[in-house]
Amino acid sequence: DMALNLTINSSNPPLGALLTAEHVKGSVNLSVEEGKDTMLHVSDKVQFSDVNSITRYLARVAPALGLYGSNMMEQTEVDHWLEFSARRLCGQSDLSSALGDLDKALALRTFLVGHSVTLADLCVWAALKGNGESQAKPNSYPHLCRWFLFLSSQVPFSSVGSKWASKISAIKATEKKQ
Amino acid sequence: ESVFRGTADLDSLLGKDLGALRDIVINASPACPPLCLLVLHALLCQRYQVLSSVHVHSSVSAVPPPLLSCLGPRHIDSHARQHFQLGFTLIWKDVSELQMKFNTQSMCPIEGEANVARFLFRLLGAEPQDPVAATQMDCWIDTAVFQLSEGGSKERAAVLRSLNAALGRSAWLLGQEFSLADIVCACYVLRAGQTTSAPVNVQRWLKSCQNLGHFDCVYPLLQ
């Protein structure tokens, strides 16, 4: 089959797309390289450049991994969390209501959707890793913190985290100085 | 006759029916009527026996009459819930974000008109099977939500240009097949107004959508 190529903007690494790429790399012929703009090249006619489309496509070409949920109700929950992470976690300074909603949703759950890891976990984890990690205090959000630490300790979350999240904090520190 | 030929069976889509009516409950603000959900409701009614009802929550005072009748006339045999396959309950409520509750034992409440639209479209069994087409469909939906509905005038103009370019290449956004991308984008363009000044391919496409008949429920709400 055709090889997929994911180029990532290394000055603003899309953690959700990188995590999804790590999850599917054993099932999909996919290369990842650094560049100027984030883009999944499927063919000369088809490219996806926003993170939610990239992760959706990768989940769909590796259906056995169940990253998009195992039935239409789980798929809909995944859609809900993809929009949640884009709208309420990215680019927001006060995350308290979003973190409260997440904590409530995770009270009785190990994963956000179903009984295994899905795009919902990947994209919400990535958004928090890139933005709100410091606001997620364990005494205020115990369930959210349990879930976050549980995922953070596992490969590929740990490897993507250590490789890219440190880069993001370095970039943010430089931005603040300027 | 529906435009969608998928063979949808509620038991296989949603798991075995346990006797109670499967009720889709939607909380929506009357300030922002969810046009695309009304189109999907009309399509669901062609496929299933749907018990539809509209309610007004106490958080909302006056609701214009078209919003009260937007799901069609009240059913005569609505007392006999076992005659229906699906419930569709629309509650006009003072909510900041549209919300759907369905099967709350296992499913979290779903926020966002587009995500509820995706759910209703799956009930029609009409989702593209090809990963590229399915993702292009989602990409158009996200564009409508994030750039057409919430973006500024420059972003709106850019979306209209890309819609126009895509609709210059094919009749519908995904090619030859009418899909949820057309439903959501058309409804968001209609809601944004200024359709008479829209580019020519967009205008032709809105006309084609209207000709299908599924959008009849939308026009009374645009005045």
Side-chain angles (χ1 to χ4, degrees):
Chain A
D1 58 342
M2 279 275 295
L4 297 172
N5 177 261
L6 174 65
T7 308
I8 60 131
N9 174 351
S10 44
S11 64
N12 184 18
L15 286 185
L18 286 161
L19 255 185
T20 312
E22 280 296 312
H23 273 88
V24 303
K25 73 178 182 190
S27 327
V28 175
N29 187 358
L30 169 71
S31 65
V32 180
E33 59 193 55
E34 293 185 45
K36 268 181 74 179
D37 296 308
T38 292
M39 167 89 73
L40 179 69
H41 184 96
V42 177
S43 69
D44 287 339
K45 281 192 180 146
V46 180
Q47 291 100 31
F48 296 111
S49 55
D50 65 295
V51 171
N52 280 356
S53 295
I54 292 170
T55 56
R56 278 186 164 112
Y57 181 77
L58 292 177
R60 283 175 170 138
V61 288
L65 300 177
L67 291 177
Y68 212 139
S70 59
N71 57 49
M72 67 161 285
M73 287 174 286
E74 290 186 9
Q75 286 171 359
T76 305
E77 289 186 273
V78 168
D79 290 328
H80 163 85
W81 292 115
L82 287 181
E83 187 170 323
F84 182 96
S85 64
R87 183 190 295 280
R88 295 188 55 200
L89 294 175
C90 296
Q92 303 284 339
S93 50
D94 180 15
L95 295 177
S96 51
S97 92
L99 297 180
D101 286 354
L102 272 171
D103 194 59
K104 209 168 99 187
L106 287 162
L108 298 171
R109 290 167 169 267
T110 305
F111 300 99
L112 275 168
V113 177
H115 300 288
S116 61
V117 76
T118 64
L119 292 184
D121 299 297
L122 305 188
C123 290
V124 172
W125 184 90
L128 285 175
K129 192 77 188 168
N131 185 18
E133 195 177 2
S134 59
Q135 291 184 45
K137 302 275 190 293
N139 41 6
S140 312
Y141 310 107
H143 310 294
L144 173 58
C145 289
R146 165 186 42 81
W147 167 88
F148 189 80
L149 290 174
F150 164 66
L151 292 184
S152 302
S153 68
Q154 305 202 10
V155 180
F157 293 86
S158 55
S159 53
V160 169
S162 57
K163 182 165 182 206
W164 295 103
S166 54
K167 211 163 185 166
I168 291 179
S169 16
I171 292 162
K172 280 197 172 161
T174 336
E175 279 171 358
K176 269 191 187 154
K177 271 183 208 157
Q178 283 166 353
Chain B
E1 177 86 8
S2 172
V3 285
F4 301 116
R5 286 156 300 175
T7 49
D9 159 45
L10 286 179
D11 276 350
S12 67
L13 289 171
L14 297 171
K16 209 163 164 44
D17 181 5
L18 297 173
L21 181 71
R22 296 166 159 130
D23 198 9
I24 298 164
V25 178
I26 293 166
N27 293 316
S29 163
C32 190
L35 304 180
C36 60
L37 303 189
L38 302 182
V39 173
L40 288 158
H41 168 263
L43 288 164
L44 284 168
C45 288
Q46 293 180 350
R47 175 64 60 92
Y48 303 110
Q49 296 293 320
V50 182
L51 175 56
S52 315
S53 51
V54 179
H55 301 274
V56 180
H57 187 259
S58 58
S59 61
V60 166
S61 50
V63 170
L67 295 188
L68 295 176
S69 57
C70 66
L71 297 185
R74 189 173 267 280
H75 295 276
I76 304 160
D77 55 349
S78 60
H79 56 280
R81 287 171 73 86
Q82 71 275 12
H83 292 170
F84 296 92
Q85 294 172 286
L86 267 183
F88 194 104
T89 304
L90 177 60
I91 304 171
W92 296 114
K93 188 175 176 181
D94 181 22
V95 285
S96 57
E97 179 89 57
L98 181 135
Q99 187 185 56
M100 176 186 79
K101 289 181 181 170
F102 179 79
N103 198 1
T104 48
Q105 299 278 311
S106 64
M107 218 175 152
C108 69
I110 302 302
E111 283 186 351
E113 184 177 341
N115 298 324
V116 176
R118 288 177 168 110
F119 174 75
L120 300 180
F121 193 65
R122 288 181 185 124
L123 286 175
L124 293 168
E127 255 206 316
Q129 295 305 301
D130 170 47
V132 167
T135 306
Q136 284 172 333
M137 188 177 93
D138 282 315
C139 192
W140 277 118
I141 295 168
D142 281 351
T143 302
V145 171
F146 288 104
Q147 291 171 56
L148 209 50
S149 152
E150 293 167 16
S153 55
K154 272 189 183 164
E155 270 180 298
R156 272 211 301 277
V159 175
L160 285 174
R161 278 196 301 277
S162 54
L163 283 171
N164 199 52
L167 294 166
R169 293 188 291 268
S170 56
W172 305 108
L173 289 172
L174 295 191
Q176 298 316 306
E177 302 279 330
F178 176 72
S179 76
L180 185 62
D182 300 292
I183 296 175
V184 174
C185 289
C187 285
Y188 277 67
V189 169
L190 288 171
R191 191 155 69 198
Q194 302 152 339
T195 46
T196 46
S197 60
V200 55
N201 296 330
V202 173
Q203 292 206 32
R204 179 185 45 75
W205 163 76
L206 287 173
K207 198 85 203 144
S208 310
C209 288
Q210 194 176 5
N211 288 343
L212 288 176
H214 314 309
F215 288 68
D216 291 349
C217 51
V218 160
Y219 288 90
L221 302 186
L222 292 175
Q223 269 95 58

